[in-house]
């Protein structure tokens, strides 16, 4: 039986690195891609030392031609199999909306939204020819309600949420499942210097391993009951995210706004 494969963007550090190691430990052939060549080299060394297979490559997710090339290379390395695409690459910039230059807003959208669209589109031919393929998009609890001081980041994650929901419906006919992970704030370089009303209220408690474990678990249950009757698209990670997600389903809009206003100290 051919070995399972996973292609991960933003894999050199943080959530991407933890996820690559998690899947490698489970016997997957890991495709690890990032702009950080040094980080990729150390990741590849760590994976191969454990006896697992890894293919790496430099990838800027905003460069669609580069995305197409890296996916074609991974397809060749794996013998034509792509079980899971994980669109993980992203950035987070915090602060008052009006204080950020337009270039910062555009970069956040280009990476967080454009990178997901580019990766998913370029991967489609390989996903389509792999039975039971899956796409995992890194979303955020910031897509539950727009977050003050994270306006553009939050908007980018709302876009990822919409794309995930639409493609999960659209690509069912191709036997491709599309799902989104919803962590709150995660302890990583991305949040190392972040201080907003919400981060101060809730803290930054999730680890990259928590998210990696959540991704792995979400992709492993392919039973007919789960895929059909109990089909799930969004996967909150951590208790706060789960409570916020659940609360947003049942609370009136005015209450959801008030809670978020209180958390953000605005």
């Amino acid at each position: 039986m051919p070995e399972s494969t996973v292609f991960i963007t933003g894999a050199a550090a943080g959530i991407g690195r933890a996820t690559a190691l998690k899947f490698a430990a489970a016997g997957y052939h890991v495709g690890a891609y990032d702009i950080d060549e040094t980080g990729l080299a150390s990741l590849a060394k760590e994976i191969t030392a454990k006896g697992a297979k890894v293919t790496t490559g430099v990838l800027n997710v905003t460069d669609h031609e580069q995305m197409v090339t890296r996916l074609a290379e991974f397809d060749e390395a794996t013998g034509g199999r792509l079980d899971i695409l994980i669109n993980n690459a992203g950035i987070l910039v915090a602060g008052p909306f009006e204080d950020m230059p337009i270039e910062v807003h555009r970069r956040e959208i280009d990476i967080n939204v454009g990178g997901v669209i580019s990766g998913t589109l370029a991967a489609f031919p390989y996903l389509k020819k792999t039975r039971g393929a899956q796409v995992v998009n890194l979303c955020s609890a910031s897509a539950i309600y727009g977050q003050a001081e994270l306006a553009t980041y939050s908007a980018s994650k709302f876009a990822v949420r919409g794309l995930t929901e639409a493609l999960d419906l659209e690509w069912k006919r191709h036997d491709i499942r599309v799902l989104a992970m919803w962590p709150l704030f995660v302890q990583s370089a991305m949040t190392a210097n972040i201080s907003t009303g919400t981060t101060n209220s809730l803290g930054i408690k999730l680890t990259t391993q928590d998210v990696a474990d959540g991704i792995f678990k979400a992709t492993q249950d392919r039973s007919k009951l789960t895929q059909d009757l109990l089909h799930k698209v969004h996967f909150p990670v951590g208790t706060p995210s789960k409570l916020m997600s659940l609360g947003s389903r049942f609370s009136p809009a005015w209450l959801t706004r008030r809670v978020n206003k209180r958390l953000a100290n605005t």
Side-chain angles (χ1 to χ4, degrees):
M1 181 178 177
E3 63 189 347
S4 297
T5 67
V6 59
F7 185 107
I8 307 170
T9 66
I15 293 172
R17 188 184 188 96
T19 302
L21 292 168
K22 179 73 176 183
F23 277 89
Y28 280 71
H29 183 152
V30 174
Y33 298 87
D34 204 300
I35 58 173
D36 178 4
E37 294 184 67
T38 302
L40 286 177
S42 66
L43 173 63
K45 185 176 181 179
E46 188 172 354
I47 289 176
T48 54
K50 296 179 179 180
K53 289 186 179 180
V54 60
T55 299
T56 65
V58 175
L59 173 61
N60 178 344
V61 296
T62 67
D63 184 333
H64 186 66
E65 292 307 313
Q66 199 173 83
M67 182 75 78
V68 169
T69 299
R70 296 291 92 84
L71 278 157
E73 291 170 352
F74 187 62
D75 181 68
E76 183 175 353
T78 61
R81 184 183 181 99
L82 179 56
D83 291 278
I84 304 173
L85 166 70
I86 301 179
N87 288 309
N88 166 72
I91 62 170
L92 185 158
V93 183
F97 179 83
E98 68 276 11
D99 289 349
M100 295 182 194
I102 186 62
E103 292 78 15
V104 173
H105 291 288
R106 285 175 174 164
R107 183 166 178 262
E108 203 161 18
I109 294 297
D110 286 348
I111 295 173
N112 294 359
V113 182
V116 173
I117 292 173
S118 178
T120 307
L121 184 62
F124 175 71
Y126 310 111
L127 295 164
K128 185 180 178 181
K129 69 180 182 179
T130 305
R131 183 178 179 182
Q134 301 178 81
V135 177
V136 179
N137 294 327
L138 266 293
C139 196
S140 168
S142 297
I144 295 173
Y145 196 91
Q147 297 296 301
E149 299 177 275
L150 293 169
T152 300
Y153 175 79
S154 187
S156 74
K157 295 305 180 179
F158 267 90
V160 170
R161 173 181 180 169
L163 181 71
T164 301
E165 292 171 350
L167 287 182
D168 187 59
L169 293 170
E170 189 174 334
W171 284 3
K172 181 176 175 58
R173 67 181 184 273
H174 300 300
D175 191 28
I176 301 171
R177 177 193 184 203
V178 187
L179 59 110
M181 304 305 300
W182 289 54
L184 196 54
F185 302 109
V186 181
Q187 298 169 12
S188 68
M190 184 184 289
T191 59
N193 298 310
I194 296 294
S195 178
T196 68
T198 308
T199 58
N200 293 334
S201 296
L202 297 174
I204 303 177
K205 300 176 180 178
L206 280 178
T207 67
T208 57
Q209 191 61 53
D210 291 330
V211 184
D213 290 345
I215 292 171
F216 186 79
K217 182 179 179 181
T219 58
Q220 298 309 298
D221 188 356
R222 300 310 310 273
S223 66
K224 185 172 177 58
L225 175 66
T226 302
Q227 296 308 302
D228 295 334
L229 183 62
L230 302 178
H231 188 84
K232 189 175 179 181
V233 178
H234 301 299
F235 291 79
V237 181
T239 300
S241 182
K242 291 176 182 177
L243 291 175
M244 292 170 69
S245 179
L246 183 64
S248 69
R249 297 181 193 176
F250 301 106
S251 67
W254 66 267
L255 180 58
T256 300
R257 181 181 184 278
R258 180 167 294 182
V259 169
N260 278 272
K261 179 178 173 66
R262 179 70 177 271
L263 290 173
N265 293 317
T266 58

